[in-house]
PDB file of all heavy atoms in Angstrom:
ATOM      1  N   LEU A 138      43.752 200.077-127.483  1.00  0.00           N
ATOM      2  CA  LEU A 138      42.503 199.389-127.742  1.00  0.00           C
ATOM      3  C   LEU A 138      42.561 197.959-127.253  1.00  0.00           C
ATOM      4  O   LEU A 138      41.616 197.444-126.657  1.00  0.00           O
ATOM      5  CB  LEU A 138      42.221 199.392-129.278  1.00  0.00           C
ATOM      6  CG  LEU A 138      41.350 200.482-129.851  1.00  0.00           C
ATOM      7  CD1 LEU A 138      41.208 200.269-131.364  1.00  0.00           C
ATOM      8  CD2 LEU A 138      39.972 200.487-129.185  1.00  0.00           C
ATOM      9  N   TRP A 139      43.663 197.300-127.521  1.00  0.00           N
ATOM     10  CA  TRP A 139      43.904 195.917-127.097  1.00  0.00           C
ATOM     11  C   TRP A 139      43.746 195.784-125.593  1.00  0.00           C
ATOM     12  O   TRP A 139      43.052 194.848-125.093  1.00  0.00           O
ATOM     13  CB  TRP A 139      45.286 195.505-127.515  1.00  0.00           C
ATOM     14  CG  TRP A 139      45.815 194.184-127.083  1.00  0.00           C
ATOM     15  CD1 TRP A 139      46.485 193.842-125.937  1.00  0.00           C
ATOM     16  CD2 TRP A 139      45.766 192.941-127.852  1.00  0.00           C
ATOM     17  NE1 TRP A 139      46.856 192.536-125.912  1.00  0.00           N
ATOM     18  CE2 TRP A 139      46.448 191.946-127.084  1.00  0.00           C
ATOM     19  CE3 TRP A 139      45.229 192.567-129.067  1.00  0.00           C
ATOM     20  CZ2 TRP A 139      46.572 190.635-127.529  1.00  0.00           C
ATOM     21  CZ3 TRP A 139      45.388 191.296-129.510  1.00  0.00           C
ATOM     22  CH2 TRP A 139      46.045 190.295-128.735  1.00  0.00           C
ATOM     23  N   LEU A 140      44.291 196.722-124.842  1.00  0.00           N
ATOM     24  CA  LEU A 140      44.224 196.674-123.381  1.00  0.00           C
ATOM     25  C   LEU A 140      42.765 196.957-122.886  1.00  0.00           C
ATOM     26  O   LEU A 140      42.366 196.358-121.893  1.00  0.00           O
ATOM     27  CB  LEU A 140      45.217 197.686-122.774  1.00  0.00           C
ATOM     28  CG  LEU A 140      46.675 197.216-122.859  1.00  0.00           C
ATOM     29  CD1 LEU A 140      47.610 198.411-122.508  1.00  0.00           C
ATOM     30  CD2 LEU A 140      46.943 196.026-121.973  1.00  0.00           C
ATOM     31  N   GLU A 141      42.078 197.854-123.543  1.00  0.00           N
ATOM     32  CA  GLU A 141      40.672 198.102-123.173  1.00  0.00           C
ATOM     33  C   GLU A 141      39.858 196.821-123.321  1.00  0.00           C
ATOM     34  O   GLU A 141      39.067 196.505-122.427  1.00  0.00           O
ATOM     35  CB  GLU A 141      40.097 199.185-124.060  1.00  0.00           C
ATOM     36  CG  GLU A 141      40.539 200.596-123.769  1.00  0.00           C
ATOM     37  CD  GLU A 141      39.924 201.612-124.733  1.00  0.00           C
ATOM     38  OE1 GLU A 141      38.891 201.258-125.314  1.00  0.00           O
ATOM     39  OE2 GLU A 141      40.495 202.682-124.901  1.00  0.00           O
ATOM     40  N   GLU A 142      40.055 196.155-124.420  1.00  0.00           N
ATOM     41  CA  GLU A 142      39.267 194.940-124.681  1.00  0.00           C
ATOM     42  C   GLU A 142      39.715 193.799-123.796  1.00  0.00           C
ATOM     43  O   GLU A 142      38.893 193.002-123.358  1.00  0.00           O
ATOM     44  CB  GLU A 142      39.384 194.560-126.155  1.00  0.00           C
ATOM     45  CG  GLU A 142      38.640 195.470-127.090  1.00  0.00           C
ATOM     46  CD  GLU A 142      37.132 195.389-126.870  1.00  0.00           C
ATOM     47  OE1 GLU A 142      36.490 194.453-127.362  1.00  0.00           O
ATOM     48  OE2 GLU A 142      36.596 196.270-126.177  1.00  0.00           O
ATOM     49  N   ALA A 143      41.002 193.740-123.526  1.00  0.00           N
ATOM     50  CA  ALA A 143      41.525 192.671-122.632  1.00  0.00           C
ATOM     51  C   ALA A 143      40.918 192.829-121.245  1.00  0.00           C
ATOM     52  O   ALA A 143      40.566 191.841-120.594  1.00  0.00           O
ATOM     53  CB  ALA A 143      43.040 192.749-122.547  1.00  0.00           C
ATOM     54  N   LYS A 144      40.738 194.040-120.774  1.00  0.00           N
ATOM     55  CA  LYS A 144      40.121 194.279-119.488  1.00  0.00           C
ATOM     56  C   LYS A 144      38.700 193.721-119.465  1.00  0.00           C
ATOM     57  O   LYS A 144      38.286 193.085-118.484  1.00  0.00           O
ATOM     58  CB  LYS A 144      40.105 195.788-119.174  1.00  0.00           C
ATOM     59  CG  LYS A 144      39.576 196.116-117.803  1.00  0.00           C
ATOM     60  CD  LYS A 144      39.660 197.642-117.550  1.00  0.00           C
ATOM     61  CE  LYS A 144      39.099 197.993-116.160  1.00  0.00           C
ATOM     62  NZ  LYS A 144      39.219 199.461-115.936  1.00  0.00           N
ATOM     63  N   ARG A 145      37.974 193.927-120.558  1.00  0.00           N
ATOM     64  CA  ARG A 145      36.602 193.417-120.640  1.00  0.00           C
ATOM     65  C   ARG A 145      36.590 191.914-120.691  1.00  0.00           C
ATOM     66  O   ARG A 145      35.766 191.250-120.012  1.00  0.00           O
ATOM     67  CB  ARG A 145      35.946 193.992-121.905  1.00  0.00           C
ATOM     68  CG  ARG A 145      34.500 193.565-122.078  1.00  0.00           C
ATOM     69  CD  ARG A 145      33.898 194.241-123.328  1.00  0.00           C
ATOM     70  NE  ARG A 145      34.566 193.842-124.537  1.00  0.00           N
ATOM     71  CZ  ARG A 145      34.314 192.717-125.209  1.00  0.00           C
ATOM     72  NH1 ARG A 145      33.444 191.837-124.717  1.00  0.00           N
ATOM     73  NH2 ARG A 145      34.925 192.446-126.326  1.00  0.00           N
ATOM     74  N   LEU A 146      37.485 191.292-121.481  1.00  0.00           N
ATOM     75  CA  LEU A 146      37.533 189.830-121.585  1.00  0.00           C
ATOM     76  C   LEU A 146      37.955 189.184-120.270  1.00  0.00           C
ATOM     77  O   LEU A 146      37.457 188.130-119.873  1.00  0.00           O
ATOM     78  CB  LEU A 146      38.531 189.424-122.705  1.00  0.00           C
ATOM     79  CG  LEU A 146      38.158 189.848-124.124  1.00  0.00           C
ATOM     80  CD1 LEU A 146      39.243 189.430-125.085  1.00  0.00           C
ATOM     81  CD2 LEU A 146      36.816 189.270-124.542  1.00  0.00           C
ATOM     82  N   ARG A 147      38.877 189.854-119.578  1.00  0.00           N
ATOM     83  CA  ARG A 147      39.334 189.305-118.271  1.00  0.00           C
ATOM     84  C   ARG A 147      38.184 189.294-117.257  1.00  0.00           C
ATOM     85  O   ARG A 147      38.120 188.394-116.421  1.00  0.00           O
ATOM     86  CB  ARG A 147      40.501 190.125-117.740  1.00  0.00           C
ATOM     87  CG  ARG A 147      41.789 189.952-118.515  1.00  0.00           C
ATOM     88  CD  ARG A 147      42.836 190.915-118.104  1.00  0.00           C
ATOM     89  NE  ARG A 147      43.117 190.915-116.691  1.00  0.00           N
ATOM     90  CZ  ARG A 147      44.306 191.193-116.172  1.00  0.00           C
ATOM     91  NH1 ARG A 147      45.324 191.546-116.959  1.00  0.00           N
ATOM     92  NH2 ARG A 147      44.500 191.168-114.869  1.00  0.00           N
ATOM     93  N   ALA A 148      37.343 190.289-117.296  1.00  0.00           N
ATOM     94  CA  ALA A 148      36.241 190.357-116.364  1.00  0.00           C
ATOM     95  C   ALA A 148      35.267 189.224-116.498  1.00  0.00           C
ATOM     96  O   ALA A 148      34.515 188.901-115.569  1.00  0.00           O
ATOM     97  CB  ALA A 148      35.530 191.700-116.494  1.00  0.00           C
ATOM     98  N   ASP A 149      35.261 188.591-117.689  1.00  0.00           N
ATOM     99  CA  ASP A 149      34.345 187.473-117.972  1.00  0.00           C
ATOM    100  C   ASP A 149      34.976 186.124-117.686  1.00  0.00           C
ATOM    101  O   ASP A 149      34.351 185.090-117.969  1.00  0.00           O
ATOM    102  CB  ASP A 149      33.896 187.519-119.431  1.00  0.00           C
ATOM    103  CG  ASP A 149      32.910 188.688-119.648  1.00  0.00           C
ATOM    104  OD1 ASP A 149      32.280 189.119-118.683  1.00  0.00           O
ATOM    105  OD2 ASP A 149      32.778 189.147-120.806  1.00  0.00           O
ATOM    106  N   LEU A 150      36.160 186.071-117.187  1.00  0.00           N
ATOM    107  CA  LEU A 150      36.814 184.795-116.844  1.00  0.00           C
ATOM    108  C   LEU A 150      36.144 184.166-115.604  1.00  0.00           C
ATOM    109  O   LEU A 150      35.383 184.852-114.896  1.00  0.00           O
ATOM    110  CB  LEU A 150      38.287 184.997-116.582  1.00  0.00           C
ATOM    111  CG  LEU A 150      39.136 185.412-117.792  1.00  0.00           C
ATOM    112  CD1 LEU A 150      40.585 185.752-117.371  1.00  0.00           C
ATOM    113  CD2 LEU A 150      39.132 184.346-118.859  1.00  0.00           C
ATOM    114  N   PRO A 151      36.340 182.880-115.369  1.00  0.00           N
ATOM    115  CA  PRO A 151      35.728 182.240-114.185  1.00  0.00           C
ATOM    116  C   PRO A 151      36.017 182.983-112.894  1.00  0.00           C
ATOM    117  O   PRO A 151      37.080 183.657-112.792  1.00  0.00           O
ATOM    118  CB  PRO A 151      36.391 180.851-114.202  1.00  0.00           C
ATOM    119  CG  PRO A 151      36.736 180.601-115.631  1.00  0.00           C
ATOM    120  CD  PRO A 151      37.129 181.909-116.186  1.00  0.00           C
ATOM    121  N   PRO A 152      35.129 182.912-111.952  1.00  0.00           N
ATOM    122  CA  PRO A 152      35.265 183.648-110.688  1.00  0.00           C
ATOM    123  C   PRO A 152      36.646 183.408-110.045  1.00  0.00           C
ATOM    124  O   PRO A 152      37.134 182.279-109.934  1.00  0.00           O
ATOM    125  CB  PRO A 152      34.139 183.052-109.803  1.00  0.00           C
ATOM    126  CG  PRO A 152      33.116 182.602-110.757  1.00  0.00           C
ATOM    127  CD  PRO A 152      33.864 182.091-111.976  1.00  0.00           C
ATOM    128  N   GLY A 153      37.244 184.502-109.632  1.00  0.00           N
ATOM    129  CA  GLY A 153      38.531 184.439-108.929  1.00  0.00           C
ATOM    130  C   GLY A 153      39.740 184.500-109.791  1.00  0.00           C
ATOM    131  O   GLY A 153      40.842 184.866-109.324  1.00  0.00           O
ATOM    132  N   VAL A 154      39.623 184.194-111.105  1.00  0.00           N
ATOM    133  CA  VAL A 154      40.821 184.172-111.952  1.00  0.00           C
ATOM    134  C   VAL A 154      41.377 185.544-112.157  1.00  0.00           C
ATOM    135  O   VAL A 154      42.594 185.790-111.939  1.00  0.00           O
ATOM    136  CB  VAL A 154      40.449 183.522-113.322  1.00  0.00           C
ATOM    137  CG1 VAL A 154      41.618 183.681-114.302  1.00  0.00           C
ATOM    138  CG2 VAL A 154      40.076 182.077-113.185  1.00  0.00           C
ATOM    139  N   ASN A 155      40.548 186.503-112.533  1.00  0.00           N
ATOM    140  CA  ASN A 155      41.054 187.844-112.773  1.00  0.00           C
ATOM    141  C   ASN A 155      41.597 188.454-111.490  1.00  0.00           C
ATOM    142  O   ASN A 155      42.577 189.217-111.520  1.00  0.00           O
ATOM    143  CB  ASN A 155      40.026 188.743-113.404  1.00  0.00           C
ATOM    144  CG  ASN A 155      40.618 189.983-114.024  1.00  0.00           C
ATOM    145  OD1 ASN A 155      41.686 189.971-114.535  1.00  0.00           O
ATOM    146  ND2 ASN A 155      39.876 191.097-113.940  1.00  0.00           N
ATOM    147  N   GLU A 156      40.959 188.159-110.374  1.00  0.00           N
ATOM    148  CA  GLU A 156      41.469 188.669-109.084  1.00  0.00           C
ATOM    149  C   GLU A 156      42.842 188.193-108.804  1.00  0.00           C
ATOM    150  O   GLU A 156      43.705 188.953-108.318  1.00  0.00           O
ATOM    151  CB  GLU A 156      40.460 188.272-107.962  1.00  0.00           C
ATOM    152  CG  GLU A 156      39.142 188.984-107.974  1.00  0.00           C
ATOM    153  CD  GLU A 156      38.169 188.478-109.053  1.00  0.00           C
ATOM    154  OE1 GLU A 156      38.508 187.429-109.695  1.00  0.00           O
ATOM    155  OE2 GLU A 156      37.139 189.085-109.271  1.00  0.00           O
ATOM    156  N   THR A 157      43.113 186.913-109.126  1.00  0.00           N
ATOM    157  CA  THR A 157      44.422 186.388-108.933  1.00  0.00           C
ATOM    158  C   THR A 157      45.454 187.064-109.838  1.00  0.00           C
ATOM    159  O   THR A 157      46.573 187.420-109.400  1.00  0.00           O
ATOM    160  CB  THR A 157      44.425 184.848-109.200  1.00  0.00           C
ATOM    161  OG1 THR A 157      43.550 184.214-108.279  1.00  0.00           O
ATOM    162  CG2 THR A 157      45.852 184.256-109.090  1.00  0.00           C
ATOM    163  N   LEU A 158      45.069 187.244-111.092  1.00  0.00           N
ATOM    164  CA  LEU A 158      45.940 187.905-112.061  1.00  0.00           C
ATOM    165  C   LEU A 158      46.253 189.309-111.599  1.00  0.00           C
ATOM    166  O   LEU A 158      47.427 189.752-111.581  1.00  0.00           O
ATOM    167  CB  LEU A 158      45.292 187.933-113.443  1.00  0.00           C
ATOM    168  CG  LEU A 158      45.025 186.598-114.092  1.00  0.00           C
ATOM    169  CD1 LEU A 158      44.175 186.735-115.328  1.00  0.00           C
ATOM    170  CD2 LEU A 158      46.401 185.944-114.503  1.00  0.00           C
ATOM    171  N   LEU A 159      45.254 190.075-111.192  1.00  0.00           N
ATOM    172  CA  LEU A 159      45.441 191.446-110.792  1.00  0.00           C
ATOM    173  C   LEU A 159      46.301 191.546-109.536  1.00  0.00           C
ATOM    174  O   LEU A 159      47.146 192.449-109.440  1.00  0.00           O
ATOM    175  CB  LEU A 159      44.067 192.116-110.516  1.00  0.00           C
ATOM    176  CG  LEU A 159      43.220 192.384-111.752  1.00  0.00           C
ATOM    177  CD1 LEU A 159      41.797 192.740-111.326  1.00  0.00           C
ATOM    178  CD2 LEU A 159      43.824 193.498-112.590  1.00  0.00           C
ATOM    179  N   ARG A 160      46.157 190.602-108.626  1.00  0.00           N
ATOM    180  CA  ARG A 160      46.948 190.615-107.391  1.00  0.00           C
ATOM    181  C   ARG A 160      48.444 190.471-107.719  1.00  0.00           C
ATOM    182  O   ARG A 160      49.270 191.195-107.184  1.00  0.00           O
ATOM    183  CB  ARG A 160      46.462 189.501-106.469  1.00  0.00           C
ATOM    184  CG  ARG A 160      47.306 189.336-105.218  1.00  0.00           C
ATOM    185  CD  ARG A 160      46.557 188.513-104.158  1.00  0.00           C
ATOM    186  NE  ARG A 160      45.939 187.314-104.708  1.00  0.00           N
ATOM    187  CZ  ARG A 160      46.591 186.173-104.903  1.00  0.00           C
ATOM    188  NH1 ARG A 160      47.880 186.070-104.629  1.00  0.00           N
ATOM    189  NH2 ARG A 160      45.951 185.104-105.398  1.00  0.00           N
ATOM    190  N   HIS A 161      48.747 189.524-108.599  1.00  0.00           N
ATOM    191  CA  HIS A 161      50.175 189.327-108.947  1.00  0.00           C
ATOM    192  C   HIS A 161      50.703 190.453-109.822  1.00  0.00           C
ATOM    193  O   HIS A 161      51.887 190.851-109.707  1.00  0.00           O
ATOM    194  CB  HIS A 161      50.292 187.973-109.714  1.00  0.00           C
ATOM    195  CG  HIS A 161      50.249 186.795-108.809  1.00  0.00           C
ATOM    196  ND1 HIS A 161      51.290 186.467-107.939  1.00  0.00           N
ATOM    197  CD2 HIS A 161      49.295 185.866-108.613  1.00  0.00           C
ATOM    198  CE1 HIS A 161      50.982 185.384-107.262  1.00  0.00           C
ATOM    199  NE2 HIS A 161      49.757 184.997-107.648  1.00  0.00           N
ATOM    200  N   GLU A 162      49.880 191.024-110.684  1.00  0.00           N
ATOM    201  CA  GLU A 162      50.330 192.174-111.471  1.00  0.00           C
ATOM    202  C   GLU A 162      50.627 193.383-110.594  1.00  0.00           C
ATOM    203  O   GLU A 162      51.639 194.074-110.811  1.00  0.00           O
ATOM    204  CB  GLU A 162      49.267 192.507-112.551  1.00  0.00           C
ATOM    205  CG  GLU A 162      49.184 191.458-113.627  1.00  0.00           C
ATOM    206  CD  GLU A 162      47.915 191.483-114.461  1.00  0.00           C
ATOM    207  OE1 GLU A 162      47.084 192.386-114.243  1.00  0.00           O
ATOM    208  OE2 GLU A 162      47.736 190.614-115.305  1.00  0.00           O
TER     209      GLU A 162
END
Side-chain angles (χ1 to χ4, degrees):
L138 266 180
W139 175 271
L140 286 169
E141 285 179 23
E142 289 295 281
K144 184 177 181 180
R145 181 177 64 80
L146 296 177
R147 288 171 57 150
D149 288 337
L150 293 173
V154 173
N155 197 34
E156 289 75 9
T157 299
L158 295 169
L159 289 168
R160 175 163 47 82
H161 284 287
E162 289 162 4

